Amino acid sequence: MTDVVATKNLVETAVSAAMAQVLPAELAGGDPLVRRSEHADFQSNVALALAKQAKRPPREIAQAVADAIDAHAVSATTSGPGFLNLTVPDATLWERIGERVNADRLGIGTPLTGERMVIDYSAPNIAKEMHVGHLRTTIIGDALARILGFLGADVVRQNHLGDWGTQFGMLIQYIDEHPELPWRHQGGDVSTLDALYRAARAQFDADLGFADRARSRVVALQSGDAATLAVWRELVAESELAFQALYDRLGVLLTPADSAGESTYNLFLADVVEELVAAGIVVESDGALCVFFDDITGPDGDRVPLIVRKSDGGFGYAATDLATIRYRIRDLKATRILYVVDARQAMHFRMVFATARRAGWLTDDVHAVHVPFGTVLAADGRPFKTRSGGTVRLSELLDAAVGRARDVISEKAHGLAPDELEHVVQAAGIGAVKYADLSTSRTKDYTFDVDRMVSFTGNTGVYLQYAHVRTRSILAKLPEGAALAAVDTTLPLHPAERALALALDDFADTLADVADTLEPHRLCGYLFALAKAYTDFFESCPVLRAETAAQRGNRVALCRLTGRTLATGLHLLGIEAPQRL
RNA sequence: GCGCUCGUAGCUCAGUGGAUAGAGCAGAGGACUUCUAAUCCUAAGGUCGCAGGUUCGAAUCCUGCCGGGCGCGCCA
């Protein structure tokens, strides 16, 4: 595997070398501040940034750096108050194309090698259907898992299923009292389980006797009663089938092997609390065992606790989360732990991380990060309800998107066989939903609008899929052997070719940026810009009808590289890139 | 009350120290004997919530306000 050095890095090297010649030693080693520019290929702002420290006018510094730059590598001119406009020779860009098009993995390196990253995402609840509330964590988490893994990290996916809690007493008791109900072996149809849950809930709320029996059943479950546990296991297995069906449909990497639900940590809860007690980290308050934090207070000004053991002796989710983080550090040996969880739980994670730090589990060489995302809102700007009937099921949403995709594609498609058409319809519909979620800033509230989501114009998944298809369709029409031509680095670059080449060169930088910020929408923005650059190229640079064989060969390389970059980028977002559309 | 978060074009959003703040959608006009027009081009559209401050330079950093959302003891 060969990493290809990006043109931007070559420019940075050239500017740094020039800085070393004309600036005092203490300033010469600084960041050359090279950025993409509207006025040239790149620009450097060092002269403006360092003028004060260097006690020289910025224009003078810019001119000195420009004069010192190796003119064979980069041509530099000064502009405005002290900008340095940097342009690379055509041959340099063609060389990059030639290297990348023949490289494994597009010449992208694996800078995260050696890191073990645990990613906690999706976390649906057993015996309930997945709804829009699970959309963002599942899709964002999966994209991050793919991207970090691509960059060389050892990714450990963790699906923290909601597979434990008092609601199972209610559910199991209800099943026990209604043995005739058909909920087993539904083969991934969780709606019967969901109906069961709602029926049990209704009776729990209305029937005091049943509520008492349900509470007894909770005790039986927690104390390991064999018959109760057996039903519980069946419930979990049945739900996991349903989740897997949905993950498969969504193109999400999660499998049962990644499941590590709340119940996984039951055995460790007592030990975790004991350890915290022994360390003097928890104190008793109103009968509960709590951790307090000076900077976290409630409306009355009193400090708010993280309750690790309830006054009734039971363990809550805080204990589970503490046992979980301890396990991920001690046993999974994580160097970075990502919790892709709703932003509303920010304070909870602050407390959990702070506690883990006090306990000595979370050290400076491990990074625990809450990766928050905004609330899912309806088109009217109000949140989706979770408990009263207004919840949209995830499967319904996907059906709607795929249905719309089918309508549009059916009237456009030429010569797609029925099974291929159906595959394309699924890829477009599912991709539309995922792209809509991923392409907006993660931390903001997310307006969920089916019409916008499945609209196939503008900055959408289908636009990118279509751009990819246009690269494939040119390549499919090439005469025999034409795809194998080497890049001729002596040809002049058309402006659209130059813009495309520069965009292609940004891919590695973009991925590193996403790995750093954990914001997949930056990759979406990059791919959209790349697709537009390709479309410009497509409009103004004929490939099959190029003027010479050499020119055609170079443009074929651009098509191939663009196609592979788009397909790779979409794949890293968890979106399919069909060959035809 | 405290904390977190958001406020950018009619709408949905990019843009976290650089040049004239950008896309998409909607609306206006134009381009198909297609390497797939699911596309492209043109024009129009903004007191970057407000006010100070830091800086050669602020949508971006700091402070204070205004407005919205969310969170704050035994649910997860």
Side-chain angles (χ1 to χ4, degrees):
Chain A
M1 168 185 344
T2 313
D3 299 359
V4 173
V5 178
T7 302
K8 184 184 168 196
N9 296 337
L10 298 177
V11 172
E12 285 171 340
T13 302
V15 174
S16 287
M19 286 165 64
Q21 290 179 47
V22 303
L23 288 172
E26 66 272 19
L27 298 179
D31 188 337
L33 297 177
V34 172
R35 308 280 185 266
R36 288 291 301 277
S37 175
E38 294 172 32
H39 307 277
D41 293 344
F42 301 92
Q43 69 183 50
S44 165
N45 306 324
V46 275
L48 291 158
L50 298 181
K52 197 164 198 175
Q53 290 168 268
K55 298 189 173 69
R56 290 168 68 186
R59 294 186 64 102
E60 188 184 313
I61 298 174
Q63 193 56 55
V65 173
D67 292 343
I69 281 180
D70 176 5
H72 294 294
V74 182
S75 78
T77 60
T78 62
S79 170
F83 295 109
L84 210 46
N85 287 340
L86 306 164
T87 300
V88 296
D90 293 357
T92 299
L93 291 171
W94 281 129
E95 283 161 14
R96 290 293 83 67
I97 299 299
E99 289 169 12
R100 285 195 193 282
V101 80
N102 289 311
D104 290 339
R105 299 163 43 89
L106 305 164
I108 308 291
T110 53
L112 300 182
T113 300
E115 293 236 41
R116 171 161 293 185
M117 300 195 179
V118 170
I119 308 184
D120 180 328
Y121 67 104
S122 197
N125 296 313
I126 296 297
K128 285 186 177 177
E129 289 208 70
M130 291 182 74
H131 54 81
V132 288
H134 298 107
L135 186 67
R136 303 209 74 191
T137 173
T138 303
I139 290 173
I140 294 169
D142 206 57
L144 291 176
R146 288 165 180 267
I147 292 162
L148 296 171
F150 185 74
L151 293 181
D154 177 12
V155 170
V156 182
R157 293 181 296 273
Q158 292 281 280
N159 195 354
H160 199 73
L161 298 170
D163 64 355
W164 200 253
T166 52
Q167 73 274 19
F168 286 98
M170 179 183 86
L171 203 50
I172 293 169
Q173 186 61 29
Y174 191 83
I175 287 169
D176 190 56
E177 296 180 16
H178 300 82
E180 76 287 358
L181 289 175
W183 60 273
R184 292 176 171 88
H185 315 303
Q186 298 296 308
D189 177 9
V190 81
S191 58
T192 50
L193 281 181
D194 203 61
L196 199 67
Y197 184 92
R198 287 199 301 272
R201 179 95 222 167
Q203 188 172 355
F204 185 89
D205 291 338
D207 179 348
L208 291 176
F210 176 74
D212 280 342
R213 295 196 295 281
R215 288 192 194 95
S216 303
R217 186 63 77 171
V218 173
V219 175
L221 179 65
Q222 287 174 341
S223 59
D225 174 67
T228 304
L229 273 179
V231 178
W232 172 77
R233 283 198 195 93
E234 282 190 275
L235 281 170
V236 171
E238 192 68 25
S239 283
E240 285 212 276
L241 282 177
F243 298 151
Q244 196 58 47
L246 196 51
Y247 291 150
D248 290 346
R249 189 176 181 201
L250 269 173
V252 162
L253 298 173
L254 289 168
T255 71
D258 303 314
S259 290
E262 292 163 356
S263 65
T264 310
Y265 303 97
N266 285 347
L267 282 174
F268 311 111
L269 299 182
D271 182 58
V272 161
V273 172
E274 207 172 292
E275 186 177 339
L276 294 173
V277 169
I281 294 167
V282 300
V283 297
E284 190 266 325
S285 170
D286 292 341
L289 294 180
C290 304
V291 185
F292 287 99
F293 312 87
D294 289 340
D295 56 344
I296 300 180
T297 56
D300 51 9
D302 291 345
R303 295 181 304 169
V304 173
L306 182 71
I307 297 174
V308 299
R309 201 182 72 191
K310 298 186 285 186
S311 53
D312 67 0
F315 299 108
Y317 61 97
T320 307
D321 281 349
L322 287 167
T324 303
I325 195 170
R326 192 181 73 168
Y327 170 76
R328 289 172 180 173
I329 296 167
R330 280 192 190 171
D331 299 282
L332 295 182
K333 312 286 186 200
T335 58
R336 203 176 180 192
I337 310 172
L338 308 183
Y339 292 82
V340 186
V341 179
D342 192 297
R344 285 175 290 195
Q345 294 192 34
M347 193 169 88
H348 171 68
F349 282 112
R350 253 176 76 200
M351 296 196 289
V352 168
F353 296 162
T355 302
R357 229 170 260 123
R358 282 193 213 170
W361 307 331
L362 187 55
T363 52
D364 288 346
D365 50 350
V366 180
H367 302 282
V369 186
H370 176 209
V371 183
F373 52 83
T375 307
V376 179
L377 306 175
D380 63 1
R382 304 183 66 87
F384 273 83
K385 297 164 194 161
T386 45
R387 195 158 283 187
S388 47
T391 306
V392 175
R393 294 185 297 156
L394 214 38
S395 57
E396 274 178 12
L397 160 67
L398 298 181
D399 289 344
V402 168
R404 281 288 296 276
R406 186 175 293 112
D407 293 345
V408 179
I409 292 173
S410 297
E411 74 186 37
K412 296 270 184 186
H414 303 289
L416 284 174
D419 55 340
E420 189 182 4
L421 175 66
E422 186 54 27
H423 179 255
V424 162
V425 162
Q426 294 289 334
I430 302 292
V433 172
K434 296 180 83 170
Y435 191 83
D437 194 295
L438 289 166
S439 60
T440 185
S441 172
R442 200 195 66 221
T443 52
K444 288 188 182 181
D445 285 350
Y446 174 66
T447 303
F448 172 86
D449 184 331
V450 184
D451 288 335
R452 178 169 290 119
M453 196 174 284
V454 298
S455 152
F456 297 139
T457 56
N459 186 7
T460 64
V462 174
Y463 177 87
L464 298 183
Q465 289 172 326
Y466 179 61
H468 170 258
V469 164
R470 295 219 283 188
T471 69
R472 300 304 314 166
S473 105
I474 286 180
L475 297 174
K477 289 182 179 169
L478 280 176
E480 200 70 23
L484 302 175
V487 171
D488 182 343
T489 61
T490 66
L491 293 187
L493 272 169
H494 184 280
E497 290 174 325
R498 170 174 292 272
L500 181 58
L502 286 165
L504 287 165
D505 212 50
D506 270 345
F507 190 42
D509 241 24
T510 301
L511 293 179
D513 189 31
V514 173
D516 187 43
T517 61
L518 306 173
E519 292 180 346
H521 82 275
R522 293 168 186 263
L523 177 54
C524 296
Y526 167 77
L527 293 174
F528 184 59
L530 177 62
K532 281 203 292 188
Y534 178 73
T535 302
D536 285 348
F537 162 80
F538 185 92
E539 300 281 333
S540 51
C541 300
V543 178
L544 299 178
R545 295 189 299 258
E547 292 168 22
T548 64
Q551 186 183 63
R552 187 181 67 187
N554 281 15
R555 289 178 176 174
V556 165
L558 283 168
C559 288
R560 285 176 62 201
L561 187 54
T562 303
R564 287 181 58 200
T565 304
L566 287 171
T568 303
L570 284 168
H571 176 72
L572 291 176
L573 293 171
I575 296 171
E576 273 194 73
Q579 298 290 306
R580 299 175 64 190
L581 201 52

Coordinates of all heavy atoms in Angstrom, one line a residue, chain A residues 249 392-407 425 429-430 433 448 450-451 453-454 456:
Chain A
R249 N -31.2 -4.0 5.7 CA -31.8 -3.2 4.7 C -31.2 -1.8 4.7 O -31.0 -1.2 3.6 CB -33.3 -3.1 5.2 CG -34.1 -2.4 4.1 CD -35.6 -2.3 4.5 NE -36.3 -1.7 3.4 CZ -37.5 -1.1 3.6 NH1 -38.1 -1.2 4.7 NH2 -38.1 -0.5 2.5
V392 N -43.0 7.7 14.3 CA -42.9 7.1 12.9 C -41.9 5.9 13.0 O -40.8 6.1 13.4 CB -42.4 8.2 11.9 CG1 -42.1 7.5 10.6 CG2 -43.3 9.3 11.8
R393 N -42.4 4.8 12.5 CA -41.5 3.6 12.5 C -40.5 3.8 11.4 O -40.7 4.3 10.3 CB -42.3 2.4 12.3 CG -43.3 2.1 13.5 CD -44.0 0.8 13.2 NE -44.8 0.8 12.0 CZ -45.2 -0.3 11.4 NH1 -44.7 -1.5 11.8 NH2 -45.9 -0.2 10.3
L394 N -39.3 3.3 11.7 CA -38.2 3.4 10.8 C -38.5 2.7 9.5 O -38.2 3.1 8.4 CB -36.9 2.8 11.4 CG -35.6 3.5 11.1 CD1 -35.7 5.0 11.0 CD2 -34.6 3.1 12.2
S395 N -39.1 1.5 9.6 CA -39.4 0.7 8.4 C -40.4 1.4 7.5 O -40.3 1.4 6.3 CB -39.9 -0.7 8.9 OG -41.1 -0.5 9.7
E396 N -41.3 2.1 8.2 CA -42.3 2.9 7.4 C -41.6 4.0 6.6 O -41.9 4.3 5.4 CB -43.4 3.5 8.3 CG -44.5 2.7 8.7 CD -45.5 3.4 9.6 OE1 -45.3 4.6 9.8 OE2 -46.3 2.7 10.2
L397 N -40.7 4.7 7.3 CA -40.0 5.8 6.7 C -39.2 5.3 5.5 O -39.2 5.9 4.4 CB -39.0 6.4 7.7 CG -37.9 7.2 7.1 CD1 -38.4 8.4 6.4 CD2 -36.9 7.5 8.2
L398 N -38.6 4.1 5.6 CA -37.8 3.6 4.5 C -38.7 3.2 3.4 O -38.4 3.4 2.2 CB -37.0 2.4 5.0 CG -35.9 2.7 6.1 CD1 -35.1 1.4 6.5 CD2 -34.9 3.8 5.6
D399 N -39.8 2.6 3.7 CA -40.8 2.2 2.7 C -41.2 3.4 1.9 O -41.3 3.4 0.6 CB -42.1 1.6 3.3 CG -41.8 0.2 3.9 OD1 -40.8 -0.4 3.5 OD2 -42.6 -0.2 4.7
A400 N -41.5 4.5 2.6 CA -41.9 5.8 1.9 C -40.8 6.3 0.9 O -41.1 6.6 -0.2 CB -42.3 6.8 2.9
A401 N -39.6 6.3 1.4 CA -38.5 6.8 0.6 C -38.3 5.9 -0.6 O -38.1 6.4 -1.7 CB -37.2 6.9 1.5
V402 N -38.3 4.6 -0.4 CA -38.1 3.7 -1.5 C -39.2 3.8 -2.5 O -39.0 3.7 -3.7 CB -37.9 2.2 -0.9 CG1 -37.9 1.2 -2.1 CG2 -36.6 2.1 -0.2
G403 N -40.4 3.9 -2.0 CA -41.6 4.1 -2.9 C -41.4 5.3 -3.8 O -41.7 5.2 -5.0
R404 N -41.0 6.4 -3.2 CA -40.8 7.6 -4.0 C -39.7 7.4 -5.1 O -39.8 7.8 -6.2 CB -40.4 8.8 -3.1 CG -41.6 9.4 -2.5 CD -42.5 10.2 -3.5 NE -41.8 11.3 -4.1 CZ -41.7 12.5 -3.5 NH1 -42.3 12.7 -2.4 NH2 -41.0 13.5 -4.1
A405 N -38.6 6.7 -4.6 CA -37.5 6.4 -5.5 C -38.0 5.5 -6.7 O -37.6 5.8 -7.8 CB -36.4 5.7 -4.8
R406 N -38.8 4.6 -6.4 CA -39.4 3.7 -7.4 C -40.1 4.5 -8.5 O -40.0 4.3 -9.7 CB -40.2 2.6 -6.8 CG -40.7 1.5 -7.8 CD -41.4 0.4 -7.2 NE -40.6 -0.4 -6.3 CZ -40.7 -0.5 -5.0 NH1 -41.6 0.2 -4.4 NH2 -39.8 -1.2 -4.3
D407 N -41.0 5.4 -8.0 CA -41.8 6.2 -8.9 C -40.9 7.0 -9.9 O -41.1 7.0 -11.1 CB -42.6 7.2 -8.1 CG -43.7 6.6 -7.3 OD1 -44.0 5.4 -7.5 OD2 -44.2 7.2 -6.4
V425 N -33.5 1.0 -7.0 CA -34.6 1.7 -6.3 C -34.3 1.6 -4.8 O -34.3 2.7 -4.1 CB -35.9 1.1 -6.6 CG1 -37.0 1.5 -5.5 CG2 -36.4 1.5 -8.0
G429 N -33.4 5.0 -2.6 CA -34.3 5.3 -1.5 C -33.6 5.3 -0.2 O -33.7 6.3 0.6
I430 N -32.9 4.2 0.1 CA -32.2 4.1 1.4 C -31.1 5.2 1.5 O -30.9 5.8 2.5 CB -31.6 2.7 1.6 CG1 -32.7 1.6 1.5 CG2 -30.8 2.6 2.9 CD1 -33.7 1.6 2.7
V433 N -32.3 8.6 2.4 CA -32.6 8.8 3.8 C -31.3 9.0 4.6 O -31.2 9.9 5.4 CB -33.4 7.6 4.4 CG1 -33.5 7.7 5.9 CG2 -34.7 7.5 3.8
F448 N -36.9 16.6 10.1 CA -37.2 15.4 9.4 C -38.4 15.6 8.4 O -39.5 15.8 8.8 CB -37.6 14.3 10.4 CG -38.1 13.1 9.8 CD1 -37.2 12.1 9.5 CD2 -39.4 12.8 9.7 CE1 -37.6 10.9 9.0 CE2 -39.9 11.7 9.2 CZ -39.0 10.7 8.8
V450 N -39.9 14.2 4.9 CA -39.8 13.1 3.9 C -39.7 13.6 2.5 O -39.0 13.1 1.7 CB -41.1 12.2 4.1 CG1 -41.0 11.0 3.1 CG2 -41.2 11.7 5.5
D451 N -40.5 14.7 2.2 CA -40.5 15.2 0.9 C -39.1 15.7 0.5 O -38.6 15.4 -0.6 CB -41.5 16.4 0.7 CG -42.9 15.8 0.8 OD1 -43.1 14.7 0.4 OD2 -43.8 16.6 1.2
M453 N -36.3 14.8 1.9 CA -35.3 13.7 1.9 C -35.3 12.9 0.7 O -34.3 12.5 0.2 CB -35.8 12.8 3.1 CG -34.9 11.8 3.6 SD -35.7 11.0 5.0 CE -35.4 12.3 6.3
V454 N -36.5 12.7 0.1 CA -36.6 11.8 -1.1 C -36.6 12.7 -2.4 O -36.8 12.1 -3.4 CB -37.8 10.9 -1.1 CG1 -37.7 10.0 0.1 CG2 -39.1 11.7 -1.0
F456 N -34.9 14.2 -5.3 CA -33.7 13.7 -5.9 C -32.9 14.8 -6.7 O -32.1 14.5 -7.6 CB -34.0 12.6 -6.9 CG -34.5 11.4 -6.1 CD1 -35.6 10.6 -6.6 CD2 -34.0 11.0 -4.9 CE1 -36.1 9.6 -5.9 CE2 -34.5 10.0 -4.1 CZ -35.5 9.2 -4.7

